[in-house]
Amino acid sequence: MLKPKSSIFKLSKTVNSTIISLIGSIFAFVLLFRFINSTSNLFNFNSLFANNNNFFLNYNNYIPNFKNTPGVHFYDLNNYRGNSDGWQRNDRILFCVPLRDAAQHLPRFFNHLNTMTYPHNLIDLSFLVSDSKDDTMGVLLSHLQTAQSQQNKLKRFGNIEIYEKDFGQIIGQSFSDRHGFAAQGPRRKLMARARNWLGSVALKPYHSWVYWRDVDVETCPVTIMEDLMHHGKDVIVPNVWRPLPDWLGNIQPYDLNSWQESEGGLQLADSLDEDAVIVEGYPEYATWRPHLAYMRDPNGDPEEEMELDGIGGVSILSKAKVFRSGSHFPAFSFEKHAETEAFGKLSRRMNYNVVGLPHYVVWHIYEPSTEDLKHMAWMAEEEKRKLEESKIKEFYDKIWEIGFDDIRDDWRSERDSIFNKIDLSFKKPIGETDADDISDWYDDPEEKAAQAAHAQAQAAQAQAQAAQAQAQAAQAQAQQQPQQPAAPAQGAPAPAQVPIADVAAVAAVQPPAKPAQPAANPADNNVPLAAAAPIEDANQQQLQAAQQAAQQQQAAQIQDQQKPVDFNPDVN
Amino acid sequence: MAVGAYELPVSQHDLKDDVEKKSRNKGNSSFLNMIPPSIQYNINKLKRLLGFNVGKNSNDDGGHHYKIFNIRRIVLILFIVTFSIFWLADSGSDESVSSLIKEYERRRNSNSRGLRTPLGQSSIPNSLANPNRSRWSKIWPFSLLNKDPKIVIILAANEGGGVLRWKNEEEWFIEKISIDNKKAYAKRHGYGLTIKDLTVSKRYSHEYREGWQKIDILKQSMREFPNAEWFWWLDLDTLIMEPKKSLEDHIFNRIDQMTERTLEEFNPLNIPIDLPYVDYKQDMNLLITQDCGGFNLGSFFIKNSEWSKLLLDVWWEPVMYEQRHMVWDHREQDALEELYRNEAWIRSKVGFLPLRAINSFPPGACSESNDDPRYFYNEHDRDFVVNMAGCNFGRDCWGEMKHYTSTMERLNTRWYSKLFRR
């Protein structure tokens, strides 16, 4: 019963042996091949399949030996073309940093340098110090000294070169100087010159990559080299943003020089004269270009790429071959651009790919512009002023408490009996307010409810009095007529002309006689007075006078019905 | 036996299982011998548990037979079958949007400046890197399965496109939700989907034809899908609330019941109803909706026909724009209204769907007629599409999108879907 099985196994046994021998020989071949390949790597045949040559030819490559000939160096430039895994293949990076009045930024910059994960011995630093009024050179030297004398030799950098050259820049280096519209063209051309000086002297044949970096970067991933390099593009830039102080909003897109060309941009370029330089982010030039900075999705994939035409200079990683083959930072108007933007355009023209990473962000520092500085000074001033003011207010409050009696509670308890005697009937015929509105006098709901009931009763009374009011209307009209036009025009003084009880009524029920009264100003002024007055010397006569005055005014209102009654209950 | 259905079959192991015994004791001939005994035991155990008749070939005198209808086997098979049925039935989205929303809001509130991991799967792969610059016009891979879809959804995405201002976090996420929604819908019903780029450009600025990309895009799509029958334009701020409804069931199979040919029933613009030479017997080639302010082109159908091409050409006519662009507040919508008002040949082929059929509004749009049930999305009637039109004018786009996404998920998930989600 096991026979069929065992025969299968027997069969498989014979098959197995052949298979095993086959696998073994393939394995041996692969090993041999890999060995050859790796040794060829040692001799820098690293791009075995990358180049288009017949790869057998690679093994026959002739390497002249000049070791014994002094002063002769041999470089096979095919070996320095830049690999996407350069940190594993010992690709050397030329790290270019233009410096000008940068002493304050250097500590932060060297902090970034030290934490970088790319093998430090493969990074050659090149600095161009130009037109500096501060001690940029001194600070730079001291930082370099500490960097290169570190205990851990792996932390030291490769070659370091410092160049000094003044370009005689007229434009100031403050934020507003650098970013004003008029300054842009000449400034960019000058900076392009500086970059070209630096790049051309610093680039050695053994560099595979060139990295341009501004010194004023605040935060930056430590793996930035690898992150940019592994895309394997000829020119690549990250997105550059900057943090902002709270009063300006939290963050802001910073580097608007990275963009894609648009139809509108090309039309604009056509319309300008030969030497003009288009600069981004100024209303003078509407370019209609999609900007890398504006395409950032904080939750997006940092690997995502976006093709670009112009690029910004904060952090550019490019293969050395781009510069070797002639691309550079045009110090003239190339397609109506200069410096880094033109470098992007020029490189694209030369069929190199230029990409940006919209969701991979490097944070530039925040430098306040002149306006921002002004605003910040103002804010500091304001803060001081507010402090002062609050102190004064505290003092005044104390004085006030001592100097005045608080009778608000008394008023609250007594006002019922006072308003009780005021005839509110004039409210009714106009029909714009009803009892519900009146109840708004009260703050707490119980009182409110009570007053609502009370007001309803009053409304009934008002109905009864309506006829009487109508009868009085004609008479009142005659009396009130001469006073009437003066009141709205005079505004504040108007209440002062009537007797004190009348003032109470005026303040309490916002006389319809003054529909055009400016923003409750007289009411505000008179309320404490008016509120206090009736309590102290209120007698029946005065209240009756108030009643009559109210009736008169109401009668006047009837005559003037198209104007709405604005019943202002803010007695308290 | 029944009680211990899921216990280890220890007793059976103790019984002399022939295969096991042989494989242990007997010689090197067996392939199984190359496997260590402990694993062999496990294999046999598994086989028994799954109900394979392991002992069948052994000597019958062992007195131990595995029944074919072993109760454990039945339970197991039933379990596996039901599991796979539910699994297949739940082939919708693998990621629940609401969990994504939660994660998104958590991140937004944390407000950190560091690099984050991408949220969800990237919905627009390589969209920005497409060298020929028609970045968003990619046909999705699934439409390759259906090379000539009869219905093609045109989704207008990437509004603004980072030209004049930052396309912010919220916009990106809304775009992702919206695109995923249409993708899932097109995939489910075998429609085509083409995502178009609405990047701001000079060509479509106010001096030229503000907002009239729509017409260019439609013409482009007609060239792209020459065999499609219908195109369904959708704005980005839309959400298909009933992904199960197919367009055929919802509209095209009952097109005559659904549509109005004249404006007698509903005429917010007071367009004159009579126009000479209109022939309402003709087929409809343009299905649009009307909201409180007139024609709404946030969601509409246009047939792939000569008539449509002619309409688009006339619509695009620059002379009209030159003459009227200061009058036409609603740009291309007003232009179409003008054409409908005056041209009999256009009127003959236009049909009006009720707004809520393909274009329900959230409360807040059409705020002047807030209580009119004809406009607003109604969960109980299971309206098909919600269009958050104008949500960026003083309303909360993100809040609305979040609300309708969660409503959509709540209405369309089954109880067992939770089993398959993270």
Side-chain angles (χ1 to χ4, degrees):
Chain A
M1 185 212 58
L2 276 171
K3 267 173 196 167
K5 250 187 195 170
S6 59
S7 68
I8 287 171
F9 287 124
K10 266 174 196 165
L11 181 68
S12 69
K13 226 179 170 184
T14 54
V15 173
N16 271 350
S17 58
T18 15
I19 287 176
I20 284 171
S21 62
L22 263 177
I23 291 174
S25 47
I26 290 169
F27 186 64
F29 183 74
V30 167
L31 268 187
L32 188 73
F33 185 79
R34 284 210 57 169
F35 175 72
I36 292 169
N37 201 5
S38 61
T39 47
S40 75
N41 264 346
L42 286 183
F43 297 113
N44 285 317
F45 286 112
N46 50 21
S47 44
L48 186 61
F49 297 106
N51 65 27
N52 299 324
N53 301 341
N54 184 345
F55 86 96
F56 285 109
L57 280 181
N58 266 331
Y59 292 92
N60 302 329
N61 257 2
Y62 165 69
I63 304 173
N65 184 4
F66 290 116
K67 266 184 188 150
N68 302 322
T69 325
V72 177
H73 301 278
F74 173 81
Y75 298 98
D76 182 354
L77 291 173
N78 270 343
N79 303 333
Y80 310 109
R81 284 186 295 190
N83 300 292
S84 55
D85 53 350
W87 60 97
Q88 289 167 334
R89 292 171 180 266
N90 290 347
D91 279 4
R92 289 196 84 81
I93 300 182
L94 173 64
F95 196 119
C96 295
V97 192
L99 296 174
R100 185 189 164 197
D101 288 338
Q104 50 163 335
H105 302 308
L106 281 171
R108 195 191 302 104
F109 174 73
F110 272 91
N111 200 21
H112 287 316
L113 269 187
N114 276 328
T115 50
M116 218 148 43
T117 54
Y118 198 89
H120 285 193
N121 60 320
L122 296 177
I123 300 177
D124 294 337
L125 300 173
S126 267
F127 299 92
L128 176 67
V129 182
S130 53
D131 302 278
S132 286
K133 283 177 215 74
D134 63 1
D135 189 24
T136 304
M137 189 63 95
V139 179
L140 175 65
L141 287 175
S142 74
H143 272 106
L144 283 175
Q145 214 117 47
T146 27
Q148 293 305 83
S149 57
Q150 289 181 91
Q151 286 292 319
N152 186 354
K153 284 192 177 172
L154 289 172
K155 285 264 171 193
R156 298 181 191 171
F157 295 95
N159 301 332
I160 296 176
E161 288 167 346
I162 301 173
Y163 304 99
E164 187 162 21
K165 176 173 168 58
D166 287 352
F167 293 88
Q169 301 193 13
I170 322 138
I171 307 139
Q173 192 70 352
S174 90
F175 185 89
S176 297
D177 289 342
R178 281 182 293 146
H179 293 259
F181 175 71
Q184 286 302 310
R187 174 176 166 263
R188 299 297 298 270
K189 286 177 183 171
L190 249 178
M191 283 174 58
R193 258 166 223 269
R195 279 185 196 270
N196 286 333
W197 273 86
L198 175 56
S200 57
V201 290
L203 185 61
K204 305 290 182 296
Y206 49 80
H207 288 133
S208 302
W209 296 86
V210 181
Y211 182 61
W212 289 88
R213 168 76 166 266
D214 279 2
V215 73
D216 43 5
V217 165
E218 184 173 292
T219 41
C220 167
V222 290
T223 53
I224 181 149
M225 290 293 187
E226 294 91 330
D227 291 343
L228 295 177
M229 191 181 284
H230 84 272
H231 286 265
K233 299 293 177 189
D234 297 326
V235 181
I236 189 166
V237 292
N239 204 340
V240 182
W241 276 51
R242 66 169 181 177
L244 287 182
D246 286 339
W247 58 271
L248 273 174
N250 193 10
I251 48 177
Q252 191 188 39
Y254 178 74
D255 190 350
L256 294 180
N257 291 339
S258 301
W259 39 257
Q260 269 181 353
E261 190 53 282
S262 72
E263 205 185 335
L266 291 175
Q267 282 173 18
L268 173 68
D270 282 343
S271 70
L272 298 174
D273 65 86
E274 209 182 13
D275 282 336
V277 172
I278 299 178
V279 279
E280 282 297 327
Y282 297 88
E284 285 87 347
Y285 288 144
T287 55
W288 303 99
R289 290 167 178 154
H291 292 85
L292 181 70
Y294 289 157
M295 291 304 277
R296 167 175 177 247
D297 177 9
N299 299 308
D301 185 358
E303 296 293 302
E304 199 167 313
E305 294 172 1
M306 176 176 173
E307 291 239 335
L308 296 178
D309 290 281
I311 55 173
V314 177
S315 165
I316 305 173
L317 183 70
S318 95
K319 289 182 177 169
K321 68 174 181 185
V322 176
F323 289 98
R324 289 207 183 102
S325 55
S327 187
H328 64 290
F329 299 97
F332 51 93
S333 171
F334 176 77
E335 296 186 357
K336 310 292 152 68
H337 287 282
E339 211 212 345
T340 54
E341 287 169 289
F343 170 62
K345 284 215 134 189
L346 181 57
S347 302
R348 268 193 86 88
R349 265 283 197 96
M350 296 180 70
N351 270 336
Y352 291 117
N353 41 40
V354 180
V355 302
L357 306 177
H359 312 317
Y360 183 90
V361 185
V362 161
W363 295 87
H364 196 270
I365 57 163
Y366 165 72
E367 299 165 279
S369 68
T370 319
E371 243 164 64
D372 289 354
L373 283 173
K374 261 186 215 160
H375 184 86
M376 279 150 99
W378 176 81
M379 282 205 310
E381 199 90 322
E382 188 78 347
E383 202 159 297
K384 222 189 273 171
R385 194 182 60 77
K386 270 183 186 160
L387 200 76
E388 200 93 318
E389 204 178 69
S390 69
K391 264 184 201 160
I392 293 172
K393 191 167 181 289
E394 211 170 280
F395 178 70
Y396 278 9
D397 280 351
K398 259 183 208 161
I399 299 281
W400 183 269
E401 259 168 41
I402 294 163
F404 289 83
D405 246 0
D406 186 1
I407 52 152
R408 276 176 295 184
D409 285 341
D410 297 345
W411 166 238
R412 203 164 289 140
S413 62
E414 286 172 19
R415 65 181 167 188
D416 265 5
S417 49
I418 290 165
F419 283 134
N420 201 9
K421 299 184 175 73
I422 293 175
D423 179 15
L424 293 167
S425 61
F426 64 87
K427 302 302 299 175
K428 205 57 197 172
I430 295 153
E432 301 233 326
T433 51
D434 56 15
D436 287 340
D437 289 325
I438 297 162
S439 66
D440 277 348
W441 278 335
Y442 294 92
D443 304 314
D444 73 304
E446 276 177 35
E447 266 185 328
K448 212 169 185 171
Q451 179 60 16
H454 178 69
Q456 269 177 354
Q458 274 193 343
Q461 188 196 356
Q463 290 282 6
Q465 286 182 347
Q468 187 196 349
Q470 292 284 352
Q472 285 180 348
Q475 182 195 353
Q477 193 176 338
Q479 286 178 2
Q480 202 77 2
Q481 197 82 345
Q483 284 181 346
Q484 192 62 21
Q490 283 176 349
Q497 291 175 348
V498 286
I500 186 135
D502 205 352
V503 173
V506 163
V509 293
Q510 191 71 9
K514 307 184 293 167
Q517 186 185 52
N521 211 5
D524 277 356
N525 292 340
N526 289 320
V527 162
L529 267 181
I535 298 163
E536 276 152 24
D537 53 357
N539 58 44
Q540 197 63 23
Q541 280 183 344
Q542 276 176 330
L543 277 172
Q544 273 176 350
Q547 239 177 37
Q548 277 188 352
Q551 277 176 0
Q552 284 168 3
Q553 283 159 355
Q554 171 263 333
Q557 179 67 22
I558 292 169
Q559 168 209 359
D560 191 327
Q561 263 188 6
Q562 64 269 41
K563 288 187 180 168
V565 175
D566 180 19
F567 180 70
N568 185 353
D570 287 340
V571 181
N572 286 339
Chain B
M1 200 63 195
V3 176
Y6 291 104
E7 287 172 10
L8 288 175
V10 179
S11 57
Q12 289 172 25
H13 173 62
D14 286 339
L15 292 175
K16 304 293 177 256
D17 190 304
D18 287 312
V19 172
E20 254 176 57
K21 220 164 70 180
K22 270 168 199 159
S23 58
R24 273 185 205 163
N25 304 334
K26 224 187 123 188
N28 344 359
S29 63
S30 167
F31 170 70
L32 281 172
N33 279 344
M34 291 163 73
I35 303 169
S38 58
I39 294 176
Q40 263 184 50
Y41 165 69
N42 282 332
I43 289 171
N44 284 329
K45 193 177 74 185
L46 195 70
K47 277 181 177 173
R48 272 203 303 275
L49 200 67
L50 291 171
F52 289 118
N53 211 339
V54 179
K56 200 179 175 182
N57 289 335
S58 65
N59 297 330
D60 290 342
D61 55 3
H64 184 82
H65 292 282
Y66 290 91
K67 286 175 192 163
I68 298 170
F69 296 108
N70 192 325
I71 188 141
R72 262 182 306 180
R73 182 153 64 152
I74 291 169
V75 167
L76 253 170
I77 288 171
L78 272 179
F79 179 73
I80 289 169
V81 166
T82 45
F83 182 87
S84 36
I85 285 174
F86 280 132
W87 194 18
L88 287 176
D90 191 73
S91 63
S93 60
D94 0 322
E95 262 177 311
S96 98
V97 187
S98 45
S99 70
L100 269 189
I101 288 175
K102 263 182 217 152
E103 170 66 10
Y104 165 76
E105 296 210 315
R106 194 187 60 72
R107 288 177 177 200
R108 199 177 52 167
N109 295 336
S110 74
N111 208 3
S112 69
R113 271 194 271 122
L115 284 179
R116 309 180 191 172
T117 50
L119 186 61
Q121 297 139 347
S122 177
S123 60
I124 315 137
N126 294 325
S127 54
L128 299 164
N130 196 336
N132 62 14
R133 301 295 175 92
S134 60
R135 299 172 309 213
W136 299 71
S137 62
K138 255 197 173 170
I139 312 164
W140 296 96
F142 54 78
S143 63
L144 294 178
L145 298 174
N146 188 359
K147 270 191 177 162
D148 281 328
K150 287 280 161 256
I151 298 172
V152 174
I153 301 171
I154 303 171
L155 180 63
N158 198 22
E159 275 174 41
V163 173
L164 300 176
R165 51 176 198 86
W166 176 33
K167 176 177 172 183
N168 63 35
E169 203 172 346
E170 220 163 64
E171 289 170 73
W172 277 101
F173 194 57
I174 287 174
E175 183 176 279
K176 181 183 159 49
I177 290 178
S178 178
I179 289 176
D180 286 353
N181 174 256
K182 274 87 191 178
K183 237 162 94 177
Y185 183 74
K187 191 175 173 184
R188 169 178 277 201
H189 297 288
Y191 303 143
L193 172 66
T194 168
I195 296 173
K196 298 297 185 187
D197 186 358
L198 282 189
T199 298
V200 171
S201 65
K202 192 179 180 188
R203 199 172 149 77
Y204 304 112
S205 67
H206 185 70
E207 292 81 13
Y208 298 85
R209 292 177 185 81
E210 192 175 9
W212 288 20
Q213 293 107 312
K214 201 169 274 184
I215 295 151
D216 259 4
I217 289 172
L218 282 168
K219 284 164 119 178
Q220 188 196 342
S221 305
M222 285 182 178
R223 292 193 292 271
E224 199 177 331
F225 298 91
N227 297 322
E229 239 172 74
W230 282 96
F231 291 97
W232 182 17
W233 175 279
L234 277 175
D235 277 354
L236 187 66
D237 296 329
T238 55
L239 205 63
I240 298 172
M241 299 296 283
E242 298 297 326
K244 271 174 239 159
K245 266 187 211 169
S246 74
L247 288 173
E248 288 85 357
D249 289 347
H250 183 51
I251 292 169
F252 294 115
N253 291 346
R254 48 178 185 143
I255 195 164
D256 292 327
Q257 292 101 290
M258 289 288 282
T259 48
E260 292 280 343
R261 298 304 295 266
T262 62
L263 291 174
E264 271 159 15
E265 292 290 314
F266 180 46
N267 191 0
L269 290 172
N270 288 321
I271 294 173
I273 287 166
D274 285 323
L275 186 73
Y277 308 114
V278 180
D279 175 15
Y280 286 123
K281 288 191 194 67
Q282 292 185 27
D283 280 348
M284 284 171 281
N285 280 353
L286 179 66
L287 302 178
I288 54 178
T289 56
Q290 291 193 101
D291 62 26
C292 52
F295 292 9
N296 184 298
L297 296 179
S299 163
F300 65 94
F301 292 93
I302 187 164
K303 202 170 189 174
N304 193 2
S305 66
E306 283 308 308
W307 178 89
S308 303
K309 282 167 193 163
L310 189 58
L311 171 69
L312 293 177
D313 283 343
V314 174
W315 204 347
W316 178 245
E317 176 58 47
V319 177
M320 287 215 309
Y321 187 82
E322 281 293 312
Q323 295 293 317
R324 304 298 296 273
H325 74 282
M326 298 303 280
V327 189
W328 288 337
D329 291 337
H330 294 103
R331 307 156 176 181
E332 80 287 352
Q333 268 166 221
D334 285 346
L336 183 66
E337 282 161 13
E338 195 71 17
L339 290 174
Y340 182 86
R341 202 186 283 266
N342 299 316
E343 304 286 335
W345 65 274
I346 288 173
R347 214 177 256 218
S348 304
K349 284 183 185 281
V350 175
F352 294 96
L353 288 162
L355 188 74
R356 277 173 54 194
I358 54 168
N359 208 3
S360 307
F361 277 3
C366 269
S367 50
E368 58 272 21
S369 46
N370 241 337
D371 45 353
D372 194 331
R374 281 178 301 185
Y375 302 140
F376 301 108
Y377 175 76
N378 188 330
E379 196 180 309
H380 303 291
D381 296 349
R382 308 294 291 258
D383 283 346
F384 184 45
V385 171
V386 67
N387 177 7
M388 286 147 263
C391 65
N392 39 358
F393 296 104
R395 277 156 50 210
D396 175 14
C397 279
W398 165 239
E400 286 180 8
M401 187 51 106
K402 189 174 132 190
H403 172 250
Y404 286 107
T405 312
S406 52
T407 309
M408 197 262 288
E409 274 210 330
R410 178 162 48 79
L411 293 177
N412 289 293
T413 44
R414 282 148 296 187
W415 59 270
Y416 53 80
S417 297
K418 280 183 195 136
L419 298 176
F420 304 100
R421 297 255 158 82
R422 292 183 280 147

